[in-house]
Amino acid sequence: MYSPRFLPCGDTALVVEFGNTIDPVLNRKVRRFSQRLASAHIPGVLEIVPTYRSVLVYYDNLLLDWASVVSELSAVAESSEETRTKPERVVSLPVLYGGNMGPDLEKVACHTGLSCEEVIDKHCAPEYLVYMIGFTPGFPYLGGLDPVLATPRLKRPRLRTPQGSVGIGGSQTGVYSIPAPGGFNVIGRTPVRLFDPERAQPFLLEAGDLVRFEPVNQKQYDDIENGQRSLEQQNA
Amino acid sequence: MPERRIRIIDPGLLATVQDTGRTGFQQFGMPAAGAMDRRSLLYGNAILGNEPADAALECTVLGPSLVFKVPCWFCLTGGTVSATLDDEPIPGWQAIYAPAESVLKTGALTEGTRLYVCVGGGIDVAQVMQSRSTYTAAHIGGLDGRALIEDDVLPLGPCFLPPGALITDSVVPQPEGWAPPAVTGPVVRAIPGPQDDMFTDEALTLFFGSAYEIAPQSDRMGYRLIGPALSHIGSADIVSDGTGFGVVQVPGDGQPIVLMADRQTTGGYAKIATVISADLPLLAQARPGSTVRFEKVSVQHAHELSRDAANEFAVFKRALVEQTRSRRASASRYKVSIKGRVYDVTVEPR
């Protein structure tokens, strides 16, 4: 039985807190609850934001008072355990590692004592879990980086990290979905757009997806990018 | 070029197209954006008979100048500013008729920080993810995802006679005895949490009682506050979780930051309290350099305040409509005979 804490976040949102850690089992509870809540279509529930270990629920306080919203969400939590999460989806992201696309690859190799090839191999090996999407539109918080690859964030963050940059910051790895300032060590770049407001589905990834990185060469990178561009021109 | 349109002559300090925000995409890291002072936008739209979520111009500190290329109704809400239409002074919080080619001029706001220029039919730019709000950091929404500049042309939706208006009006009167809601105020009410248990008792006492100055770098993403430092029991860091509009996060340096309309959807700092929705308009209108104090209230009390605000708004909208009836009733009707032809004539008060 799920017994989360219900914490007010002002008078139009509340936090449904399942725990306090980054843990795949805890994260699955979060996803089950969010799915169940979304399909319950409770009048007055306006928006559902799942995170690592809690769900922020926005509600209409003219339709739901505190007691009602806690009561409704408790009922959802109680029945969440049986909810089947969506079938796992594995998204494979092509990455051009090193060179201009990965200016910090050598630094990571140096820090970890591995060769550049070994860094790439170890980065591509796991299936990473998308814990949540946040920080910027479409940015995935990925779990499962090989601890051997951990490299401290840049002392001075870049003012602008190019879109698609794949990086390592501390024990985290991620992909910049839009250009943003940041302290990740950039080891490669993917031509795939994690966020495209013009696309019918603007966001490529969602919480619960599994992500693999696949190394490609410059020609394959260019082909994918050109393919994307011509698709955009067709749709424009 | 759309037929119904306005053209920007001078955008002022910072003008963007905003509606009531982008809903449903925060789970994908897409900030909600939307009008900082949502109440002023809703009042402006109600005064014009617009849909509640119709988009308007949100203008900061220095108001805009623009030309209406077609006949149009419009209304100014939010902060106070001296405004003219074709050099004639015009009031705020009332529907005003703008003939084709008429020019609206405003200047520096004398009270408040954000002015809303609402237009009959709404600003009709394309929607992105079901909203017209501008989120500048990702270049989406509004006009090309950016702040407005000189010569920008904005399309308008179809415009109807505002509630309470007579066809002969150029300014629709306010309901009798009604005054606009107070736009600024030194005290803002907040509910403790979600991570109030990560702060010392002293921190909570200091937060609910001290004066905090709004730092100059404050903007649509968040207001940095300067004042007594707030101590955490342990670390300031939490496993990132969701951040609501008005949530007050406190990083290691103890200086609170109130997250506003363009805030990131998740954050990793402990959150001591959250400003109530009824008082967000006051905060949205507070000027950098001014001070604010927080008063602790419960969720239940905050809900009552929301209901009161909603009732006030409903009463106002009803009063606007009622005006039409009473104004027509006091109009005088005559039959006038001119050169053998009889005319029905109605004389209405201005």
Side-chain angles (χ1 to χ4, degrees), chain A residues 142-160:
Chain A
L142 298 175
L145 180 72
D146 190 328
V148 148
L149 292 179
T151 306
R153 283 180 166 78
L154 301 177
K155 279 211 176 64
R156 188 166 294 140
R158 283 189 174 83
L159 283 175
R160 189 182 183 278

Side-chain angles (χ1 to χ4, degrees), chain A residues 5 7-13 15 17 20-22 46-54 56 58-59 61-62 64-67 69 132-139 141 178-179 195 197-198 202-203 205-207, chain B residues 22-32 128-129 135 137-140 191-195 197 238-245 247 263-266 271 273-278 299-300 302-303 306-307 310:
Chain A
R5 290 208 295 164
L7 309 168
C9 187
D11 63 324
T12 56
V15 177
E17 191 184 82
N20 218 343
T21 56
I22 298 177
L46 300 175
E47 191 154 3
I48 303 165
V49 186
T51 64
Y52 274 113
R53 43 65 172 234
S54 65
L56 183 65
Y58 289 83
Y59 63 95
N61 67 11
L62 298 178
L64 292 168
D65 63 13
W66 180 251
V69 75
M132 68 174 187
I133 311 282
F135 170 56
T136 58
F139 179 92
Y141 282 82
I178 61 171
F195 168 59
E198 306 297 307
F203 304 97
L205 299 172
E206 59 183 309
Chain B
R22 199 159 271 114
T23 309
F25 298 93
Q26 287 186 82
Q27 63 178 304
F28 299 113
M30 185 79 234
V128 178
M129 284 174 261
Y135 177 55
H139 309 293
I140 72 158
I191 298 165
Q195 281 96 29
D197 58 0
I238 58 168
V239 175
S240 296
D241 71 354
T243 43
F245 195 165
V247 90
R263 69 199 177 284
Q264 286 173 341
T265 54
T266 58
K271 305 184 279 295
T274 312
V275 175
I276 69 171
S277 57
V299 173
Q300 289 79 2
H303 284 174
S306 276
R307 280 196 287 278

Side-chain angles (χ1 to χ4, degrees), chain B residues 151-346:
Chain B
D151 286 339
D152 274 341
V153 171
L154 293 165
L156 308 175
C159 187
F160 303 93
L161 200 63
L166 299 175
I167 199 83
T168 46
D169 277 338
S170 53
V171 177
V172 178
Q174 285 177 353
E176 202 166 308
W178 179 81
V183 158
T184 55
V187 174
V188 161
R189 289 161 294 196
I191 298 165
Q195 281 96 29
D196 50 323
D197 58 0
M198 285 180 65
F199 293 86
T200 61
D201 287 338
E202 196 215 2
L204 287 162
T205 310
L206 274 176
F207 178 74
F208 289 112
S210 309
Y212 283 89
E213 186 195 320
I214 300 173
Q217 321 92 293
S218 299
D219 61 12
R220 282 182 50 91
M221 270 194 75
Y223 283 14
R224 295 182 168 267
L225 302 181
I226 305 165
L230 303 170
S231 304
H232 305 80
I233 291 172
S235 168
D237 295 345
I238 58 168
V239 175
S240 296
D241 71 354
T243 43
F245 195 165
V247 90
V248 184
Q249 65 178 18
V250 186
D253 67 359
Q255 298 294 284
I257 303 171
V258 190
L259 301 183
M260 303 296 275
D262 284 359
R263 69 199 177 284
Q264 286 173 341
T265 54
T266 58
Y269 295 123
K271 305 184 279 295
I272 192 169
T274 312
V275 175
I276 69 171
S277 57
D279 285 354
L280 280 172
L282 296 177
L283 204 52
Q285 293 292 352
R287 208 50 96 87
S290 65
T291 57
V292 67
R293 302 183 104 89
F294 296 95
E295 185 190 299
K296 179 162 69 169
V297 295
S298 65
V299 173
Q300 289 79 2
H301 186 46
H303 284 174
E304 270 172 37
L305 293 168
S306 276
R307 280 196 287 278
D308 290 345
N311 283 335
E312 262 180 54
F313 188 41
V315 164
F316 169 71
K317 285 186 283 189
R318 236 186 338 264
L320 268 181
V321 172
E322 285 297 319
Q323 274 201 133
T324 324
R325 245 167 270 166
S326 62
R327 291 177 77 200
R328 281 208 197 109
S330 64
S332 308
R333 289 183 167 75
Y334 302 89
K335 278 199 182 331
V336 175
S337 171
I338 299 173
K339 290 191 178 168
R341 295 182 75 173
V342 179
Y343 301 87
D344 279 312
V345 174
T346 304

